[in-house]
Amino acid sequence: MEYSEVITFVLEIVGTIAFASSGAMVGIERNMDVFGVNVLGIATAVGGGMIRDLILGIAPPNMFRNPVYALVSIVTCCCLFFIVFMNEKFLSSRFRTTYDRIMMMFDAIGLGIFTAVGVNTAIKAGFANQTFLLIFVGMITGVGGGLLRDVMAGVTPYILVKHIYACASMVGAIICVILYREFGEIPAMFLSAFVVMLIRFLAAKYRWNLPRIR
Amino acid sequence: MEYSEVITFVLEIVGTIAFASSGAMVGIERNMDVFGVNVLGIATAVGGGMIRDLILGIAPPNMFRNPVYALVSIVTCCCLFFIVFMNEKFLSSRFRTTYDRIMMMFDAIGLGIFTAVGVNTAIKAGFANQTFLLIFVGMITGVGGGLLRDVMAGVTPYILVKHIYACASMVGAIICVILYREFGEIPAMFLSAFVVMLIRFLAAKYRWNLPRIR
Amino acid sequence: MEYSEVITFVLEIVGTIAFASSGAMVGIERNMDVFGVNVLGIATAVGGGMIRDLILGIAPPNMFRNPVYALVSIVTCCCLFFIVFMNEKFLSSRFRTTYDRIMMMFDAIGLGIFTAVGVNTAIKAGFANQTFLLIFVGMITGVGGGLLRDVMAGVTPYILVKHIYACASMVGAIICVILYREFGEIPAMFLSAFVVMLIRFLAAKYRWNLPRIR
């Protein structure tokens, strides 16, 4: 395993933790039991990659060949459930603010690396020339899990209302495709993932908004 | 490209515009930003064909091989967003009535041609003898996009409550299968698409309803 | 056709009737017309197997090769719709209690046999060594239809909030995998299906609950 693979793996695990905990939190706030919390957490963490693999015709999806991501999701959900179960004030405590800030950062890392991994998976599956497909599966890998979470929990999907979320993923996917063709896999993956994270941070800090009609 | 292919393509584009604008309108009315409006519009326009291709094992789905439908959707959504953004009174103006009437007609054309194209795609993929499959994928091509739109926007799916919508698609799919076996592709496609449009117009004009329990 | 196949088929039909009627009832209670009631009923009855087949790469899904399950669903939905249509007091009559009790029993049978059939289908498709995949597709075969029904009807999915439903399916899937490797197909299928039914009955009788946070 090369350095770049190790870094990718570490970033993916960070993203998995962030996505799983975002799903678990939605479940906890809706009074779901520990099983429902796990279902939402797993769906959020690995759902994007699963939709990508269905579209690319990779059957069964990669999440089943390498269940480490699902396992990390389960551990994350159970830990979070346990923490809140033991100390119900956590949800309204000042630690919550710190927790939310860290998770927001982790989530940006996840969005970036998942987008890059999505594009990369499609290229490796033989679709290097289908630009539109590459961008689409990059985005769906990044935002598909959150979409599943929100549809299952019955809330308006984040990607439809949250300014500059899916949009950051799209920009990253486009950059990834361009860089891949010019400079190869590793610069493409890391630079595009970095750009996604940067856009997310800036958008959150400066409260960027896309135009909408009121 | 033969005449029949040109006509099919024109009808498909008309349908794509209608479906994309129906998705975009749902997004605009829920105050989504321009990105969310595009996501809903694209999902509505190409979602039915994508579900069909997943079921038939066509990977990646046709929408990625020929991105023209997605591009037409994006242009439609952006135009509609721009019009309403520039003139917010559009939504309650008298042009809205005219707009709705034209879109209802376009939508019926889309429902008809998408149903016929769906049946045709399945036959070409080698499933000519699986009658139940042909009818199902005809319908899902016609109504699947609207189903995705409604599930994502959190409203009760149109096809579950709108009298004579999915039903028109089903009748068209059945007719398409029968005619295909008797008279070949072209009469099957155009006659069945025409029947779907006719049923939709009559159902709207005479307010046909299926029985329901109150 | 051997004895075990006949028994499996009978149990599957019982489960199909239960699942279809649970979907149909959701549609009837929301004043959907007879078409919408059928869509929800069919989705509930065959949706789980369809998601399983998409994940396993079985295209088109088995429900299309053998449409008997879809047909049984349609007959069930139409009968139920007709009964309630003829006698609208049925929904609040004392027969409703009996009906609910029978359907709850049928539903447990369906959950059990669908879970076992799901695991079995994945093993026959060549994934005998992928334990995580086997358990996942067992569960999704059992609970996927109900998930589709609830997402389409816009209610919080049963599997996220109903104590010991998906959980019973998971335990059954795990048992099925273990027994299959030790004792072969038939003991695995029937014992695991029986365990699922038993857990469901006990959970309902003694009101078992998983921990949740209030």
Side-chain angles (χ1 to χ4, degrees):
Chain A
M1 209 154 150
E2 294 173 30
Y3 271 128
S4 64
E5 287 177 21
V6 174
I7 298 174
T8 304
F9 181 72
V10 170
L11 295 177
E12 278 189 297
I13 293 299
V14 167
T16 302
I17 292 172
F19 280 36
S21 79
S22 88
M25 208 46 121
V26 170
I28 289 171
E29 283 170 345
R30 298 180 163 246
N31 302 326
M32 291 175 187
D33 64 30
V34 64
F35 196 90
V37 166
N38 267 282
V39 171
L40 269 189
I42 296 172
T44 311
V46 302
M50 197 169 92
I51 300 176
R52 174 200 65 214
D53 292 346
L54 290 179
I55 288 173
L56 295 178
I58 299 173
N62 284 322
M63 62 168 278
F64 297 110
R65 297 199 192 153
N66 188 0
V68 65
Y69 306 105
L71 286 175
V72 168
S73 307
I74 293 172
V75 171
T76 304
C77 294
C78 290
C79 284
L80 192 60
F81 187 86
F82 185 75
I83 292 172
V84 183
F85 192 75
M86 286 293 106
N87 178 11
E88 298 191 17
K89 285 179 191 143
F90 174 82
L91 289 180
S92 52
S93 72
R94 63 192 173 83
F95 295 114
R96 178 67 193 271
T97 319
T98 317
Y99 169 86
D100 280 347
R101 207 167 291 163
I102 294 173
M103 277 308 146
M104 191 264 147
M105 220 165 68
F106 276 30
D107 191 87
I109 294 172
L111 186 65
I113 197 68
F114 286 173
T115 302
V117 166
V119 172
N120 198 34
T121 304
I123 290 174
K124 294 250 163 87
F127 303 109
N129 295 318
Q130 299 197 34
T131 308
F132 177 56
L133 175 66
L134 295 179
I135 296 168
F136 186 91
V137 298
M139 281 181 67
I140 206 78
T141 312
V143 307
L147 180 62
L148 277 187
R149 174 198 62 211
D150 294 340
V151 166
M152 283 171 73
V155 298
T156 306
Y158 206 66
I159 62 159
L160 293 179
V161 290
K162 181 77 184 176
H163 37 283
I164 324 282
Y165 190 85
C167 203
S169 173
M170 187 182 72
V171 172
I174 292 171
I175 289 175
C176 190
V177 172
I178 295 170
L179 292 181
Y180 201 103
R181 288 175 184 164
E182 294 297 321
F183 305 104
E185 181 182 340
I186 293 170
M189 286 197 56
F190 290 112
L191 266 170
S192 63
F194 178 74
V195 168
V196 175
M197 295 172 210
L198 194 69
I199 296 177
R200 278 296 295 142
F201 286 129
L202 293 175
K205 191 167 167 62
Y206 296 105
R207 297 173 191 272
W208 285 350
N209 274 302
L210 290 176
R212 77 181 57 205
I213 296 157
R214 265 158 238 282
Chain B
M1 210 152 149
E2 293 173 31
Y3 271 129
S4 64
E5 288 177 22
V6 174
I7 299 174
T8 303
F9 181 73
V10 170
L11 294 177
E12 278 189 296
I13 293 299
V14 167
T16 301
I17 293 171
F19 279 36
S21 80
S22 87
M25 207 46 121
V26 169
I28 289 170
E29 283 171 345
R30 295 176 167 251
N31 301 326
M32 291 176 187
D33 65 28
V34 66
F35 196 90
V37 166
N38 268 281
V39 170
L40 269 189
I42 296 172
T44 311
V46 301
M50 198 170 91
I51 300 176
R52 174 200 65 214
D53 292 346
L54 289 178
I55 289 172
L56 294 178
I58 299 172
N62 283 323
M63 61 167 278
F64 297 108
R65 297 200 192 152
N66 188 0
V68 65
Y69 305 105
L71 286 176
V72 168
S73 306
I74 292 173
V75 171
T76 305
C77 294
C78 290
C79 285
L80 192 59
F81 187 87
F82 185 76
I83 291 172
V84 182
F85 192 76
M86 285 295 105
N87 178 12
E88 299 191 16
K89 286 181 191 140
F90 173 81
L91 289 181
S92 51
S93 72
R94 65 191 172 82
F95 295 114
R96 178 68 193 271
T97 320
T98 316
Y99 169 85
D100 281 347
R101 207 167 291 163
I102 294 173
M103 278 306 147
M104 191 263 145
M105 220 164 69
F106 276 31
D107 191 87
I109 294 172
L111 186 66
I113 197 69
F114 286 172
T115 303
V117 167
V119 172
N120 198 33
T121 304
I123 290 174
K124 294 249 163 87
F127 303 109
N129 295 318
Q130 299 196 35
T131 308
F132 177 57
L133 175 66
L134 295 178
I135 296 169
F136 187 92
V137 298
M139 280 180 68
I140 206 77
T141 311
V143 306
L147 180 62
L148 277 187
R149 174 197 63 211
D150 294 340
V151 165
M152 285 171 73
V155 298
T156 306
Y158 206 66
I159 61 160
L160 293 180
V161 290
K162 181 78 183 177
H163 37 282
I164 324 281
Y165 190 85
C167 201
S169 173
M170 187 182 71
V171 172
I174 293 171
I175 289 175
C176 189
V177 172
I178 295 170
L179 291 182
Y180 202 103
R181 288 174 184 164
E182 295 297 320
F183 306 104
E185 180 182 339
I186 292 170
M189 287 198 55
F190 290 112
L191 266 170
S192 63
F194 178 74
V195 167
V196 175
M197 295 171 210
L198 194 69
I199 295 178
R200 279 295 295 142
F201 285 130
L202 294 175
K205 192 168 166 60
Y206 297 105
R207 298 171 191 271
W208 285 349
N209 274 303
L210 290 177
R212 78 181 56 206
I213 297 158
R214 265 158 238 282
Chain C
M1 209 153 149
E2 294 173 30
Y3 271 130
S4 63
E5 288 177 21
V6 174
I7 298 174
T8 304
F9 181 73
V10 170
L11 294 177
E12 278 189 297
I13 293 300
V14 167
T16 302
I17 292 172
F19 280 36
S21 79
S22 87
M25 206 48 119
V26 170
I28 289 171
E29 283 170 344
R30 297 177 165 249
N31 301 325
M32 290 175 188
D33 65 29
V34 65
F35 196 90
V37 166
N38 268 281
V39 170
L40 268 189
I42 296 172
T44 312
V46 302
M50 198 170 92
I51 299 175
R52 176 199 64 214
D53 292 346
L54 290 179
I55 289 173
L56 295 178
I58 300 172
N62 283 323
M63 61 168 277
F64 297 110
R65 297 200 193 152
N66 189 0
V68 66
Y69 304 106
L71 286 176
V72 168
S73 306
I74 293 172
V75 171
T76 304
C77 294
C78 290
C79 284
L80 192 59
F81 187 87
F82 185 75
I83 291 172
V84 183
F85 192 76
M86 285 294 107
N87 178 12
E88 298 189 18
K89 285 180 193 141
F90 174 81
L91 289 181
S92 51
S93 72
R94 64 189 172 82
F95 295 114
R96 177 67 193 271
T97 320
T98 316
Y99 169 84
D100 281 346
R101 208 167 290 164
I102 294 174
M103 276 307 147
M104 190 263 146
M105 219 164 69
F106 275 31
D107 191 87
I109 294 172
L111 186 65
I113 197 69
F114 286 172
T115 302
V117 166
V119 172
N120 198 34
T121 304
I123 290 175
K124 294 248 164 89
F127 303 109
N129 295 317
Q130 299 196 34
T131 308
F132 177 56
L133 175 67
L134 295 179
I135 296 168
F136 186 91
V137 299
M139 280 180 69
I140 206 77
T141 312
V143 307
L147 180 62
L148 277 188
R149 174 198 62 210
D150 294 340
V151 165
M152 284 171 74
V155 297
T156 306
Y158 206 66
I159 62 159
L160 293 179
V161 290
K162 181 78 183 175
H163 37 284
I164 324 281
Y165 190 84
C167 203
S169 173
M170 187 182 70
V171 172
I174 293 171
I175 289 175
C176 189
V177 172
I178 295 170
L179 292 181
Y180 201 103
R181 288 174 184 165
E182 295 296 321
F183 306 104
E185 180 182 341
I186 293 170
M189 287 197 55
F190 290 112
L191 266 170
S192 64
F194 178 73
V195 167
V196 175
M197 294 171 210
L198 194 69
I199 295 178
R200 278 296 294 142
F201 286 130
L202 293 175
K205 191 168 167 61
Y206 296 104
R207 297 171 191 273
W208 285 349
N209 273 303
L210 289 176
R212 79 181 58 206
I213 297 158
R214 265 159 239 283

